[in-house]
Amino acid sequence: MGLFSGKATVGGSTAGLLCALLIGTTFAPAAEAVDADDLAISGPGVVGSALSVMGAYEYFLSCDPSEQPSYSIQWLRNGQPVTTSPTYAAVYYDLDIEDVGSRISAIVTGASACDPARIVLEDPQVIRAQPVRAEGFTGRGVFELVGRRPDGVLMMYLGKQGAQGWTQVLRVGAGWAGYTRIIAPGDFTNDGVGDLLGTNSSGTLFAFGGAGDGGFATTYPYEIGWGWNAIDKIVGPGDFDGDGTNDLLGADANGDLYLYSQHKDSGWNPRLKVGQGWQVMDLLFAPGDFDGDGHVDVMAKDKDGRLFLYGGNGRGGWTSVRQIGQGWNALSNIGSVGDFNRDGFNDIHGVNAAGDLVMYYGNGLGGWKGVETVGWGWGGFNGLY
């Protein structure tokens, strides 16, 4: 994702200059024309972000430096205008849930002392919802497990592309010992890259933007909430309410469970109560879509060690709840970060008393297809994300 550009052809006509920007096609510009190759649609193609046209101001300004350039932009979804009034949309196009699965293009029309010009821009991106945690932090879309050592150093274990196991281990950050909680919610900064969230002792919630190479922007984390020390358990399930942006779920000490949904323009929508009685649970975590219905789910362990699957309905509610295991008090650092054995289904991990990393393989239907010890010496981490 990011900047995509192509070649342009510029030629005269009775209506003025007609410029068509075609991806992957190169034409020689006319001698009198300004090269339009630098014009392009820019921005990550995920819900919650914005697309813009780069280079339009400079293009029309270069046509006649003595004039203030004037242009307008018409945005199109799959070739159809996305607005009918006004005729031309704003310079920025905010991506919403309606854009998922579509391609966005733009028509830039300008007029100055030179002839009018019309430039058609195509963007090869297919717009998508924000990536969930299971897609990792490096853009590879594979299993990547982050461990926090007691000294606050984060270590990232990179899974293989086509088989279970690890390719390498990276040291991806220090200074994380002071955070009372770390949450891996998937993409939370609307750029298509997986991020981390952290709370400090005063309850401030920080976002650490993923760099796309396994690292995180820790020098200047930005605050996205306060008072989170009043929330007993927090989990980032992905897009729980179906608006294309990733959310948080938080249970308070009274057992009330709330949905914290991102506002598409920034900040939070008013929180919504989506459950009660969750005080009997001592752990919540997010397995992605574990039952195969296309919607993200939630898992919870109660204080007796029983494991429950809560099926999400994709609209901020639930389809069902059922027990899928027992004896899980024998494990620590329980969670789910994707498909470890590369069979297409998300898996669950935990660390036993001996420090072994144990993987429970999901069957894609809300159940299990096996369990295996896949690592040793994992007892040295005080958190896995």
Side-chain angles (χ1 to χ4, degrees), residues 82-142:
V82 294
T83 58
T84 56
S85 179
T87 304
Y88 291 101
V91 174
Y92 294 95
Y93 178 61
D94 295 323
L95 294 170
D96 212 331
I97 185 64
E98 291 82 3
D99 299 309
V100 171
S102 64
R103 296 181 185 273
I104 303 298
S105 57
I107 299 174
V108 186
T109 304
S112 64
C114 303
D115 291 330
R118 184 176 183 270
I119 304 171
V120 179
L121 301 174
E122 299 287 348
D123 189 346
Q125 301 179 88
V126 175
I127 308 305
R128 56 183 303 211
Q130 293 178 355
V132 296
R133 169 64 187 90
E135 296 188 34
F137 299 103
T138 63
R140 301 179 308 135
V142 299

Side-chain angles (χ1 to χ4, degrees), residues 28 38 54 123 156 183 211 227 239 258 262 275 310 315 349 379:
D38 291 334
M54 293 187 63
D123 189 346
M156 181 177 293
I183 306 119
D239 179 18
Y258 294 93
Q262 289 191 81
Y310 290 79
R315 301 183 301 278
H349 64 262

Side-chain angles (χ1 to χ4, degrees), residues 58-88:
E58 293 80 5
Y59 177 80
F60 291 109
L61 180 65
S62 66
C63 186
D64 189 340
S66 66
E67 296 289 332
Q68 178 68 20
S70 175
Y71 64 92
S72 57
I73 299 174
Q74 170 68 74
W75 294 96
L76 303 97
R77 181 193 302 123
N78 293 330
Q80 298 299 315
V82 294
T83 58
T84 56
S85 179
T87 304
Y88 291 101

Side-chain angles (χ1 to χ4, degrees), residues 288-297 310-314 318-320 364-366:
D289 176 20
F290 195 74
D291 57 11
D293 65 354
H295 307 304
V296 296
D297 306 311
Y310 290 79
N313 65 7
W318 312 100
T319 58
S320 63
L365 299 173

Side-chain angles (χ1 to χ4, degrees), residues 3-6 8 21 35-41 53-56 58-59 121:
L3 177 62
F4 295 83
S5 62
L21 188 63
D35 190 356
D37 285 351
D38 291 334
L39 272 72
I41 295 176
V53 174
M54 293 187 63
E58 293 80 5
Y59 177 80
L121 301 174

